[in-house]
Amino acid sequence: MRVHQYAYFSLRSDQLSAREMATRLGMEPDETSVKGSRRANPPVPRVHSWRVVCRDSGLTVDEQVDRLIDRLEPIADEIAALVRAIDESEGEGLTSTLQVVRYFGDDDGAQHQRLGWHLDRRAVAFLQRTGAELDVDEYGDD
């Protein structure tokens, strides 16, 4: 089956910009976003997002996650401290997330014989250390 997939690690804040997060972490993100309220009543809080992404095709999810952790592990303590600071000032929420996105049956995707994946001890320890949640989105063509 052909699958298009990618993984990313994100930090989110209603108050801190992605630029401020990058400064505190000492690492530039691969992507950033800012979402603002499109309606006045009730207003939706804006959300700033700092993301490190692995979109390398042909890799399994396990390998994509490993590449993210390889990049992020040197700043895991800084991530954990920033997550605690955001949670203390804004309330606990989806501050840090490891996101896996998969599109099954995608004509532009890579051929995968095995569709299963797992997180090894290193990945689980990183998620625990940084206070991150795991979110998996999977889509099919049916």
Side-chain angles (χ1 to χ4, degrees):
M1 172 175 281
R2 297 188 76 74
V3 179
H4 171 74
Q5 62 192 23
Y6 60 96
Y8 64 89
F9 183 85
S10 70
L11 297 173
R12 297 167 41 122
S13 172
D14 294 341
Q15 298 169 8
L16 286 178
S17 70
R19 167 72 30 225
E20 292 170 283
M21 288 186 241
T23 299
R24 289 188 185 198
L25 295 173
M27 180 178 183
E28 289 299 315
D30 296 330
E31 299 176 358
T32 63
S33 68
V34 177
K35 295 180 183 174
S37 181
R38 292 185 181 190
R39 59 180 181 220
N41 195 6
V44 177
R46 68 176 173 228
V47 176
H48 302 274
S49 179
W50 175 100
R51 286 189 294 275
V52 173
V53 184
C54 181
R55 294 183 188 276
D56 298 338
S57 65
L59 299 179
T60 64
V61 171
D62 312 40
E63 293 166 330
Q64 289 178 330
V65 169
D66 281 344
R67 287 194 179 179
L68 291 173
I69 293 173
D70 286 345
R71 293 177 62 196
L72 295 167
E73 205 162 41
I75 63 164
D77 290 336
E78 289 83 353
I79 291 170
L82 182 55
V83 168
R84 283 191 303 273
I86 292 170
D87 285 350
E88 287 173 8
S89 68
E90 299 178 21
E92 289 189 26
L94 292 176
T95 305
S96 61
T97 305
L98 174 62
Q99 182 79 45
V100 175
V101 181
R102 304 176 86 193
Y103 297 91
F104 296 98
D106 187 303
D107 291 337
D108 295 328
Q111 182 69 35
H112 286 281
Q113 299 305 318
R114 295 182 349 183
L115 297 176
W117 57 278
H118 78 285
L119 297 179
D120 60 19
R121 289 180 186 179
R122 175 181 175 230
V124 172
F126 176 81
L127 296 177
Q128 177 66 33
R129 184 174 173 191
T130 59
E133 297 183 7
L134 174 64
D135 187 9
V136 178
D137 292 339
E138 296 184 328
Y139 306 95
D141 57 359
D142 292 330

